Amino acid sequence: MTVLIVGGSGFLGTELVRQARAVGHTTVATYATKPGSASPTAWRHLDLRDAGSLDAVLSEVRPQLVLNASSGSAHWPTTAEGPIRLAMAAAKYGTRIVHVSSDAIFSGAHVHYDESSLPDPLTAYGAAKAAAETGVLAVHPKATVARTSLIIGHGRSVHERIVHELADGIRDGVLFTDDIRCPVHVTDLAAALLELAAADATGIHHLAGPDAVSRHVPCQVHLFAFCGVL
């Protein structure tokens, strides 16, 4: 099977490339600025803001599966509108798509959130991710949206680097207790995404670690539990 991994130069994308190749898939990965450290079958430049670029890549690669692991922070044209354009292109070619979303679409006002919970984001990033997943499902009803949380692993995630830099005294800042997440290891998340794709699952799925923790201490809390079992 040919798999197109959008955002293949990122932290999650790199692991998706590794696992997809390990099971024998032809893997094409995309990048926005430069290729990453992964070793896919091929690299392709892709700008999610450009519908023509999207159509050209889909037309050339003709994947059976698209995994969207891209991240554009709070940049609306990339993070909100880009995945919708990608889903429209995938629908045009009859291609299955798995879109990675975030628990940032929720405010944390409730104790637990499941797949039926409606987004109520507080941040611009959360709003962009919420808009993206709504649009993806609207234009590609058979799409899969996988909501996840902080992605960690091997000390290489941005979240882990910040903690190490604070501990080593080479970065100024504080850790806080009022933002509760369910960190997930990048290896587990990538495996779960590929499993969802192989199972032809559709709709919204929560993929996160089993423990709700703050940025300050790894303890159980009661403010916001966005958790799933891998």
Side-chain angles (χ1 to χ4, degrees):
M1 178 170 69
T2 299
V3 179
L4 177 66
I5 298 175
V6 178
S9 59
F11 183 48
L12 175 58
T14 297
E15 180 62 19
L16 284 168
V17 169
R18 186 190 71 79
Q19 292 194 26
R21 291 209 67 183
V23 296
H25 297 314
T26 298
T27 306
V28 179
T30 76
Y31 63 93
T33 54
K34 62 180 181 179
S37 60
S39 300
T41 307
W43 283 103
R44 294 290 183 274
H45 176 263
L46 180 63
D47 185 345
L48 287 175
R49 299 169 297 177
D50 183 353
S53 174
L54 283 165
D55 190 77
V57 170
L58 268 290
S59 177
E60 176 191 358
V61 176
R62 293 295 178 119
Q64 285 75 53
L65 170 65
V66 173
L67 291 165
N68 182 25
S70 64
S71 176
S73 299
H75 187 240
W76 191 269
T78 302
T79 303
E81 298 172 1
I84 301 172
R85 294 190 188 93
L86 177 62
M88 291 174 68
K92 173 183 176 181
Y93 290 100
T95 305
R96 175 155 173 64
I97 183 170
V98 177
H99 169 71
V100 180
S101 189
S102 169
D103 58 359
I105 67 166
F106 296 123
S107 69
H110 302 291
V111 176
H112 296 287
Y113 290 88
D114 62 20
E115 285 82 352
S116 66
S117 300
L118 296 178
D120 61 339
L122 293 177
T123 65
Y125 172 73
K129 296 297 282 188
E133 64 175 52
T134 300
V136 165
L137 291 171
V139 302
H140 196 319
K142 293 184 178 180
T144 300
V145 170
R147 293 170 177 161
T148 191
S149 193
L150 296 183
I151 307 172
I152 61 174
H154 314 299
R156 295 198 298 266
S157 77
V158 62
H159 317 293
E160 291 168 285
R161 289 199 299 270
I162 289 172
V163 170
H164 287 303
E165 289 170 2
L166 288 170
D168 293 340
I170 60 176
R171 181 188 185 102
D172 292 328
V174 295
L175 298 175
F176 39 89
T177 60
D178 60 349
D179 181 18
I180 310 304
R181 311 292 290 276
C182 290
V184 59
H185 197 282
V186 65
T187 303
D188 294 333
L189 178 58
L193 290 168
L194 290 168
E195 184 177 343
L196 277 179
D200 290 329
T202 60
I204 297 171
H205 299 264
H206 286 183
L207 300 178
D211 299 317
V213 300
S214 76
R215 302 286 187 114
H216 189 260
V217 288
C219 62
Q220 293 292 332
V221 296
H222 304 285
L223 296 178
F224 173 26
F226 171 85
C227 296
V229 178
L230 297 181

